[in-house]
Structure formats: C-alpha cells, structure tokens
Amino acid sequence: MRDASPPQSDAIARYLVLLDISGYTRFLAGVEATHGEDFRAGLPAGYRVLGELIQRVVDGLAPHFELVKVEGDAVFGTAAAEMLDGRGGAVIDHLGQVYRTFVERRDVLAASATDDKCTACFAVGQLDLKVVIHRGLAVRQTMGGSADLVGPAVNVAHRLLKNTVRDRIGYRPYVLLTKSAASKLGLPELGLAHRENYPDVGPIDVRILDLAAVAGIVPMSWPAPPSGSEAWPELGISG
C-alpha cells in the first residue's frame, strides 16, 4: 500500500491586507460600562453595530482580495502577487470605495442603532478604519480544520497594526503601504515616507496615504510637518 502523497506547499508571493477598525477597544469598553455583563435581555446595539461594520469590510474585499479570517477588530485578506502587481491605482481606488461604504454605514448606524440604554453605545461616529498592505512570501496551511496564512511576511503585516503613524499625521484614517508593496504596485513615491522599527523584525520602510483623501471624502490637507522634515506630498495616483 502506497502512502498518500503529501499536499503541495501553497507558498507563493502574496499581497497581505489588514483592515482594522480604529476605536474598537474603546467602543467595546463603553458598551460594557453602560450595559455590564448581563445580556439576558439581548445583546446591546453596540455589538450589532460592530458586526455590521466588520461585515461591510469583509464584503468589500472582493474582487481584489479574498478573506483569510476575521481577527477581532481586523479583517485579514490576501491576493496572489501576480494578480495585483502593477495595478496600484486600481487597488487604491478599491480601498477608497471600501472606506466610503464603511463611513456611510457607520454614520447611518450612529443615528439609528438604539437599545434601552444608549444610542449605539454613544461612540459609533468615532470608529474609523486603517489599512496595512504588505507583499511577501506566505504559506497557506490548514490548521485546526481551517486554512490560514503563515510566514515572516504575515508577521510583518500584523506588526504594522501597532505603529507610530498617528504621531506624525494625527488621528485620521490611513493606508500604510510597505516598501515592497508600494514598489510592486507601481506606487513607490506615493504618499509620505515613514519608517517603523520593531525589535523582532527590524526597520520597515512604508508610505502613508490619507484614506479619506483616497476615498474623496475630504480634500487632501496634511498637517504641517515637523521641523526639518520633508514636505507633505500631494496625492497623485495613476495606473
């Protein structure tokens, strides 16, 4: 009897995208402070709000990305690198549409989601979105009955969710493109140059884009740069 052949390794270059809801932890803390932990009368409206917003983000991944999994307040997606290389304009336009959909639904829920104690637990309008895109080798493996992506590139993408971006640009929605992603997408000079450093993965060069400006929701208006820093760039996307 011949042993079954081992499955082929699904190790390819991929784009990894993380869309993270900013303000999620503070929002849930507010829900708990208002409602406590007794949900016998039903889940507070705040949980439905978060569920709807996360589902909108998941639905918005297609057609450029597919869902890997939902990680609490973040949606993790991927695409084969060969499918998106050189298509930066289309990818950024797509993220702008995802953000417009998110904001439209968020604002409706902020005005309409109610329960017996609060209006969507009072902080829906402060929820926002940030996006990280990285490109690198990732391996798809089945673990615990479900498929997941693993590898150093996956680690880098997740590290970038904790960053110093808002120390430079303030509290606003943004897209963070790593150097490898920006270069292969054909957007190596787009946005603001920035660098993050992590003890385990080292320095990571990135480009920062204003997600609201990408979505056309507000005019491009960067705050003044720190003394001696480079000038803030204008948003210009082609291709």
Side-chain angles (χ1 to χ4, degrees):
M1 181 177 177
R2 178 181 296 178
D3 292 337
S5 299
Q8 289 186 333
S9 173
D10 184 9
I12 62 172
R14 303 176 186 274
Y15 284 94
L16 308 169
V17 61
L18 285 156
L19 300 100
D20 180 82
I21 296 182
S22 303
Y24 176 96
T25 301
R26 182 174 63 251
F27 181 84
L28 282 185
V31 173
E32 182 177 2
T34 302
H35 291 270
E37 298 180 354
D38 184 356
F39 295 165
R40 286 176 294 181
L43 284 176
Y47 284 89
R48 179 173 64 82
V49 166
L50 287 173
E52 287 196 33
L53 291 177
I54 290 171
Q55 187 61 53
R56 289 297 175 107
V57 175
V58 170
D59 293 342
L61 287 174
H64 292 95
F65 300 97
E66 63 176 288
L67 177 68
V68 177
K69 59 182 176 179
V70 176
E71 303 174 333
D73 57 347
V75 173
F76 181 25
T78 188
E82 63 181 11
M83 301 298 294
L84 296 184
D85 282 346
R87 300 187 60 205
V91 171
I92 297 302
D93 286 346
H94 176 69
L95 292 176
Q97 179 57 53
V98 172
Y99 185 64
R100 285 193 295 273
T101 300
F102 174 88
V103 169
E104 288 167 2
R105 189 57 187 160
R106 179 198 67 189
D107 291 349
V108 168
L109 290 169
S112 64
T114 60
D115 57 28
D116 63 327
K117 294 184 179 180
C118 62
T119 301
C121 298
F122 62 74
V124 178
Q126 296 178 22
L127 296 174
D128 220 324
L129 207 60
K130 62 184 179 186
V131 182
V132 170
I133 302 181
H134 182 44
R135 184 188 187 280
L137 183 71
V139 179
R140 190 187 298 273
Q141 290 185 331
T142 299
M143 297 174 287
S146 61
D148 199 358
L149 292 180
V150 297
V154 178
N155 296 340
V156 167
H158 283 79
R159 291 293 185 279
L160 285 167
L161 288 175
K162 303 296 184 182
N163 56 57
T164 62
V165 170
R166 287 196 166 123
D167 292 342
R168 296 195 66 182
I169 70 172
Y171 193 90
R172 61 168 67 193
Y174 62 84
V175 180
L176 203 63
L177 291 172
T178 63
K179 183 178 180 180
S180 58
S183 176
K184 289 296 187 178
L185 285 170
L187 307 171
E189 303 300 325
L190 188 66
L192 176 69
H194 183 68
R195 173 173 285 184
E196 295 288 343
N197 283 279
Y198 301 92
D200 52 350
V201 297
I204 305 173
D205 290 320
V206 298
R207 310 293 301 189
I208 307 169
L209 309 183
D210 183 329
L211 183 54
V214 166
I217 293 177
V218 295
M220 185 65 175
S221 180
W222 294 97
S227 177
S229 180
E230 66 180 291
W232 295 92
E234 293 296 322
L235 184 69
I237 305 173
S238 61

